[in-house]
Amino acid sequence: MIKDLTVSGYLEELSSKKPTPGGGGAAALGGAQGVALGEMVINLTLGKKKYADVEEEMQLLLIKLEDIKKEFLRLADEDAKVFAPLAAAYGLPSGTEEEKKHKAEVLETHLLAASLVPKAVMEQSLEAIAVMDILARKGSRLAVSDVGVGVTFLRSALLGAKMNVSINTKFMKQREIADKLDQEADMLAETGMRRADEIYANVEAALK
């Protein structure tokens, strides 16, 4: 599991020619880092008299971010799990019509599964970006730059995951399902990028 690796161990695995971990897992892990920075901002806000009026809200947001962080880590591992059978499916024999039909059916199943995981990463990224918006406005001013860094990680997770939706839907034969997934991913990306860019701009303005 990715959470059990050291940072150097993970980077060594990522840089190798092994198929996993890959871009999908890296996107999810980037999202987890963005969330962790949000948690740090909250922890620097809690217990301070200056922010007593948002104490309860911050405590609830901390719980929410912890849940999202755990989900990002789960999805990072899940991405590797769904890719393995997809990679194996590409190697299935296709010499006869029956074999071709079987291979196409198996590929379709695994392409769909491999599309749903990064889509879930996109959804989690959007949830986390919404929290970062609150932290940019109500969190400790001493850590506002960390909100900017965190939202940058989440924006990258969002767009990275979108690439992994697209690379799988591209080869799906059930175009109605594939097109629906692409449309949903486009909408998540557009909404998330807009919000992330607004937050980043607000943070940048606060630092000047």
Side-chain angles (χ1 to χ4, degrees):
M1 296 179 71
I2 285 178
K3 69 177 182 179
D4 297 326
L5 296 174
T6 61
V7 173
S8 59
Y10 172 75
L11 291 177
E12 187 173 339
E13 289 286 307
L14 186 63
S15 61
S16 74
K17 61 182 179 181
K18 297 177 184 177
T20 59
L29 193 57
Q33 289 186 84
V35 167
L37 281 167
E39 290 182 289
M40 184 187 76
V41 173
I42 293 175
N43 283 318
L44 289 170
T45 305
L46 290 172
K48 301 294 191 298
K49 290 182 180 179
K50 183 178 179 180
Y51 304 104
D53 58 329
V54 296
E55 179 87 7
E56 186 176 345
E57 183 179 11
M58 289 294 145
Q59 289 175 342
L60 293 173
L61 291 176
L62 186 60
I63 293 170
K64 182 171 184 177
L65 285 185
E66 183 62 23
D67 288 342
I68 295 175
K69 185 174 69 178
K70 289 178 181 177
E71 183 63 5
F72 269 135
L73 291 174
R74 186 191 73 78
L75 289 167
D77 284 319
E78 189 66 19
D79 184 78
K81 288 179 185 177
V82 298
F83 182 78
L86 175 59
Y90 279 112
L92 289 173
S94 57
T96 67
E97 287 303 313
E98 187 177 342
E99 287 175 339
K100 287 179 181 178
K101 182 181 178 182
H102 174 67
K103 182 176 182 177
E105 290 173 350
V106 174
L107 274 171
E108 197 70 13
T109 297
H110 293 307
L111 284 168
L112 176 59
S115 301
L116 293 176
V117 173
K119 180 172 172 285
V121 171
M122 294 185 75
E123 291 166 347
Q124 292 298 311
S125 298
L126 204 59
E127 288 284 326
I129 288 170
V131 175
M132 299 301 270
D133 187 19
I134 298 171
L135 298 183
R137 292 180 283 108
K138 299 182 180 181
S140 172
R141 295 298 86 192
L142 296 176
V144 69
S145 62
D146 296 297
V147 176
V149 177
V151 83
T152 301
F153 269 111
L154 289 164
R155 189 183 191 279
S156 295
L158 179 78
L159 294 183
K162 184 178 184 296
M163 295 294 100
N164 282 270
V165 172
S166 299
I167 193 64
N168 291 301
T169 57
K170 177 181 179 180
F171 297 107
M172 289 174 64
K173 302 299 182 185
Q174 299 180 62
R175 293 316 307 167
E176 186 176 342
I177 295 175
D179 291 344
K180 185 174 184 293
L181 285 169
D182 285 335
Q183 289 169 9
E184 291 172 347
D186 286 343
M187 188 164 56
L188 287 167
E190 182 181 348
T191 302
M193 282 193 295
R194 184 176 65 252
R195 295 194 71 176
D197 289 345
E198 287 173 356
I199 296 165
Y200 186 88
N202 290 337
V203 169
E204 200 170 41
L207 294 173
K208 292 179 178 178

